[in-house]
Amino acid sequence: MENLVAFLNQNSGALTVVFTAVVTFATVVYAALTAILVAETRKLRQVQTEPRIEITVDALDFAVNIVRLCIRNIGDGPAKNVKFEPSVIDGDKVAEVLLEEFISPNFFKTGLRYFGPGQFRYSGYTQTNIDFEAKASSALCFKVTYESVTEKKYVEEIAIDMAELRGRYQLGKPSLYSIAKSMEKIQQDLHHITTGFKRIGVDSYDSDDRAREEKEREEWRREAIAELERRNK
């Protein structure tokens, strides 16, 4: 014990230097880790307030030949002062007409003052059963400018390749159409029950029935298109 005390007394200066070096090194490491943590926190906060605009081609579920664009904010933060500058990348006059159909809603001209996270808007629609090849060969571009809540500015050029339409198909009847027909049948059954209708009916299905059903489906589709036009005005 006396030897240890004597050793410490004789080498106190050197031990102080070593201890100071260790403390200094630990302080530098702690400061570096703190700086990294602050930077990561800043990035995380930026991501949580950062908007992100995407534009995709979207077909209606009840009519796969009716196509529109879906503009959506997929970021975690709201976008402010959203502006659109559409243009044609590839295609002839059909592409220009297609672009005019898409940008018929007024927000493409006036922009959006506020576009919240998860919020979406639809463009005008086009019917791909008309001039399909020309439309499928078209390519459009939207230059989108917007700001975050922290006043950070974003500029993106989003390309829309209409060739994505090739190969699309729909199996069976559209869900909304099937639901509407089912509700109509339920209404008829309830009417028969409440009015005491008890005769046994025999259902037959021929070409006239198929033609009538196709006509009803086409009328329902036109009504849906008219409703879309009313909403886009």
Side-chain angles (χ1 to χ4, degrees):
M1 187 66 181
E2 293 178 357
N3 294 333
L4 177 61
V5 173
F7 174 81
L8 294 176
N9 290 332
Q10 293 174 2
N11 299 279
S12 58
L15 293 175
T16 301
V17 172
V18 172
F19 178 76
T20 303
V22 171
V23 172
T24 302
F25 177 76
T27 303
V28 171
V29 171
Y30 177 78
L33 292 176
T34 302
I36 294 174
L37 180 61
V38 170
E40 292 296 328
T41 303
R42 185 181 295 111
K43 291 180 181 179
L44 180 61
R45 183 178 301 175
Q46 181 179 350
V47 169
Q48 290 175 342
T49 59
E50 186 177 38
R52 179 70 182 277
I53 306 298
E54 72 166 10
I55 302 177
T56 56
V57 181
D58 180 66
L60 301 185
D61 56 352
F62 62 85
V64 72
N65 64 300
I66 301 177
V67 174
R68 57 189 176 178
L69 300 179
C70 179
I71 300 90
R72 187 188 305 270
N73 181 3
I74 60 175
D76 293 327
K80 301 191 305 179
N81 301 323
V82 184
K83 301 293 183 182
F84 302 92
E85 295 182 23
S87 61
V88 175
I89 299 177
D90 189 18
D92 50 15
K93 292 184 177 180
V94 175
E96 296 178 359
V97 174
L98 176 65
L99 182 61
E100 289 298 323
E101 290 176 335
F102 281 150
I103 64 174
S104 57
N106 196 48
F107 71 85
F108 280 106
K109 301 177 180 65
T110 62
L112 298 170
R113 296 185 62 184
Y114 182 87
F115 200 37
Q119 191 175 357
F120 60 89
R121 291 288 187 93
Y122 287 115
S123 72
Y125 71 90
T126 186
Q127 299 190 53
T128 56
N129 55 344
I130 302 174
D131 295 327
F132 174 77
E133 287 300 327
K135 289 180 179 179
S137 301
S138 302
L140 311 176
C141 179
F142 286 84
K143 183 179 180 181
V144 187
T145 59
Y146 53 96
E147 301 175 2
S148 66
V149 293
T150 58
E151 306 300 331
K152 182 179 179 180
K153 298 184 183 298
Y154 298 85
V155 180
E156 295 186 45
E157 291 189 359
I158 304 175
I160 306 297
D161 188 0
M162 300 303 294
E164 297 175 6
L165 299 175
R166 298 185 186 276
R168 284 195 175 190
Y169 62 91
Q170 185 179 54
L171 295 176
K173 296 180 180 179
S175 300
L176 292 178
Y177 178 77
S178 299
I179 292 174
K181 297 299 292 183
S182 298
M183 293 296 294
E184 182 180 351
K185 186 176 183 304
I186 292 174
Q187 183 180 12
Q188 292 176 354
D189 292 340
L190 290 175
H191 176 72
H192 292 165
I193 293 174
T194 56
T195 57
F197 182 76
K198 298 181 178 178
R199 290 180 298 174
I200 298 176
V202 178
D203 295 329
S204 61
Y205 193 82
D206 53 19
S207 58
D208 293 336
D209 294 321
R210 285 191 291 271
R212 182 171 62 256
E213 187 180 61
E214 181 63 27
K215 182 179 179 181
E216 292 176 353
R217 178 176 175 178
E218 186 63 28
E219 290 177 354
W220 186 77
R221 182 181 300 172
R222 284 199 296 268
E223 292 176 358
I225 293 175
E227 178 65 18
L228 282 175
E229 291 178 341
R230 185 186 66 80
R231 293 180 180 180
N232 288 332
K233 288 182 180 179

